Amino acid sequence: MQKITFYFCSTEYNDVKRRLPSFVFSCPDDFSHNTQITSPHDKEIIKCIEECVEPWNGSWNDNLVDTSPLRQDPLKKICDCYMEDLKKICYHREINMQTNLKFVHTSFHGVGHDYVQSAFKAFGFQPPIPVPEQKDPDPDFSTVKCPNPEEGESVLELSLRLAEKESAKVVVATDPDADRLAVAEQQNGCWKVFTGNELAALFGWWMFSCWKENCSKDADVKNVYMLATTVSSKILRAIALKEGFHFEETLPGFKWIGSRVKDLLDNGKEVLFAFEESIGFMCGTSVLDKDGVSAAVVIAEMAAYLESKNLFGTLMPLSLTQTSRIRNRKSSQMITFTFQNGCVATLRTSGTEPKIKYYAEMCALPEQRSVAGLHACVSKCLWAEKTAFRHQFLHGGGFLCCFLRGLSWLFQPVNWLE
């Protein structure tokens, strides 16, 4: 269960404070705003743990869990508060209660089932249809090769099959710890599994539209913010430029988003939405982290609203996403290339897996309507990235030189879109 801002475990705080040096708490807010811990505190905590590895006296007392005055089970209170707070981002309860749309949910053998069921109830929906084989926690993840909804249709087989059987048009999938969300929609007899960037375009549009319809007369759009990690799509920036709100980027990882959101809230700003391309979404600010439960029910309300306007099934946001600038972040082991034609390509090392990740996005001018041409441009950038990395790995030499040499060849002539 995610930490939420209106409940803080003071015993945990006191326990940590008792075991850590005072300098860590020179800025106590860093430990009380319920976001992920950022540097340098993470390194100092690890250091202190490594300096104190001996168990406390009495640590092996079997009766401690039953007799300690610190013991309590706050789960029900947290859940009740969370579900009540979730209603703040429910804008069309009557439509939700009347919709004929059916939803299928899979929790990928994780913890999301009960919470998604409760969230749908909080929004006035009928409960989503669970995938029975994947409803309950299973540490072996026995029905999927990889319990990661980012893998798309290949891991959603049971969900899609159940949706077709039940005539459900939308599948929502939360990962095992329920902080990420994948969405599939049936379109013209086929299933469309949305990317994280495509979902972000929908969430961003939806959250701002709802804010605009429900804000007070004296509300200032310049006080509104949305955020994304720097390797994610720039689609929210385009919306922000049109609508007048602020868009900011952070380093990859929701710990950076959460920390920045807290800063903005402390300065009286209003944050509607934040995301990372790896299907992590933050709708509202009850949870200053990615949260698949709230994202699942918000996407359901969006679908129900669009269906009531006869627009459901028409959403497929286009997110395609000569060197003018090279931006390198040494601390994050990431390099970004920005091209004159609007294409952006980024490479970085994964923070959790032994792999290199690469990203590319094309933002074309309005008159450049050729989707095939835009796809071709993005494909060229990806080809150059992969080829340069492979050449550097096999033959040595500078990766950047290989990449730039490949790009200079690919983007001749400059007027490739004409």
Side-chain angles (χ1 to χ4, degrees):
M1 187 66 182
Q2 302 283 351
K3 282 188 176 180
I4 47 182
T5 56
F6 44 75
Y7 189 95
F8 182 73
C9 187
S10 59
T11 56
E12 177 186 41
Y13 177 86
N14 291 334
D15 185 37
V16 172
K17 188 172 183 179
R18 186 168 63 248
R19 300 176 64 185
L20 295 180
S22 59
F23 73 86
V24 175
F25 294 90
S26 59
C27 298
D29 251 5
D30 290 339
F31 278 80
S32 62
H33 58 47
N34 296 309
T35 65
Q36 296 182 37
I37 298 172
T38 56
S39 183
H41 300 307
D42 52 355
K43 296 179 178 62
E44 294 297 336
I45 290 174
I46 293 173
K47 179 181 176 182
C48 291
I49 291 173
E50 291 174 344
E51 291 175 351
C52 183
V53 295
E54 291 295 325
W56 292 350
N57 294 330
S59 293
W60 307 116
N61 181 0
D62 293 339
N63 297 323
L64 188 62
V65 68
D66 297 318
T67 60
S68 173
L70 300 178
R71 176 184 176 272
Q72 59 174 307
D73 184 359
L75 182 59
K76 185 179 186 305
K77 180 179 180 180
I78 290 176
C79 289
D80 291 345
C81 292
Y82 172 80
M83 295 303 167
E84 187 64 29
D85 208 56
L86 201 57
K87 296 176 183 178
K88 295 177 182 178
I89 54 175
C90 175
Y91 298 101
H92 299 282
R93 176 176 298 276
E94 290 186 4
I95 293 176
N96 300 342
M97 295 173 65
Q98 297 170 6
T99 185
N100 292 319
L101 276 180
K102 293 182 179 180
F103 303 89
V104 163
H105 170 243
T106 174
S107 52
F108 275 97
H109 299 293
V111 299
H113 171 74
D114 290 343
Y115 304 116
V116 171
Q117 294 278 315
S118 298
F120 270 65
K121 181 180 179 180
F123 267 52
F125 283 108
Q126 292 295 312
I129 303 166
V131 179
E133 300 92 333
Q134 299 173 337
K135 177 174 69 71
D136 299 319
D138 174 8
D140 296 323
F141 308 110
S142 53
T143 67
V144 289
K145 293 181 179 179
C146 175
N148 182 359
E150 276 190 271
E151 298 296 322
E153 196 166 344
S154 63
V155 295
L156 293 173
E157 182 180 355
L158 289 178
S159 307
L160 302 182
R161 191 187 307 163
L162 178 62
E164 291 172 354
K165 177 182 176 181
E166 298 287 346
S167 299
K169 299 298 183 182
V170 179
V171 170
V172 291
T174 49
D175 68 342
D177 60 348
D179 64 351
R180 299 181 189 273
L181 176 76
V183 179
E185 176 194 36
Q186 195 173 48
Q187 299 177 347
N188 301 320
C190 300
W191 286 97
K192 160 66 179 177
V193 181
F194 292 92
T195 68
N197 287 329
E198 289 173 333
L199 286 174
L202 296 174
F203 277 122
W205 161 76
W206 177 255
M207 296 301 290
F208 184 74
S209 297
C210 291
W211 177 86
K212 194 159 57 171
E213 287 183 10
N214 294 275
C215 66
S216 61
K217 292 182 179 180
D218 58 348
D220 186 357
V221 70
K222 294 181 180 179
N223 209 42
V224 172
Y225 283 73
M226 292 192 191
L227 295 88
T229 59
T230 190
V231 296
S232 302
S233 171
K234 316 303 178 190
I235 185 66
L236 294 186
R237 181 173 64 187
I239 298 174
L241 290 172
K242 175 68 176 178
E243 298 290 350
F245 63 87
H246 291 275
F247 169 73
E248 288 191 4
E249 288 185 332
T250 72
L251 291 172
F254 246 91
K255 64 181 181 180
W256 303 110
I257 287 180
S259 180
R260 179 57 183 154
V261 169
K262 179 60 168 56
D263 290 341
L264 291 170
L265 296 177
D266 287 346
N267 285 280
K269 308 302 181 183
E270 187 170 4
V271 180
L272 302 182
F273 175 68
F275 84 102
E276 60 184 2
E277 53 78 33
S278 52
I279 59 174
F281 311 103
M282 187 193 83
C283 300
T285 53
S286 293
V287 177
L288 302 187
D289 202 345
K290 54 186 180 290
D291 178 17
V293 176
S294 58
V297 73
V298 169
I299 204 76
E301 181 173 71
M302 186 195 312
Y305 173 84
L306 294 173
E307 194 269 343
S308 73
K309 303 296 182 181
N310 296 317
L311 292 173
F312 182 71
T314 62
L315 282 175
M316 284 191 66
L318 181 60
S319 181
L320 306 174
T321 321
Q322 321 137 7
T323 308
S324 62
R325 176 166 57 96
I326 297 179
R327 178 176 53 182
N328 184 21
R329 291 181 174 88
K330 182 179 179 180
S331 62
S332 62
Q333 298 180 321
M334 179 174 68
I335 185 166
T336 298
F337 298 84
T338 303
F339 302 92
Q340 291 175 350
N341 60 8
C343 192
V344 178
T346 297
L347 293 101
R348 74 176 182 97
T349 55
S350 171
T352 57
E353 301 171 279
K355 63 173 62 172
I356 300 290
K357 292 187 174 183
Y358 56 87
Y359 313 80
E361 181 178 33
M362 179 72 187
C363 182
L365 297 174
E367 60 268 20
Q368 295 172 331
R369 298 286 184 174
S370 172
V371 176
L374 300 179
H375 270 298
C377 178
V378 175
S379 297
K380 286 181 178 181
C381 285
L382 292 176
W383 181 90
E385 285 184 286
K386 292 184 286 186
T387 301
F389 183 78
R390 188 181 301 113
H391 185 278
Q392 192 271 343
F393 179 79
L394 294 175
H395 306 291
F399 168 76
L400 294 181
C401 292
C402 295
F403 187 30
L404 292 173
R405 190 181 304 117
L407 290 171
S408 64
W409 176 78
L410 281 174
F411 289 101
Q412 292 179 357
V414 177
N415 63 344
W416 64 274
L417 272 176
E418 294 182 359

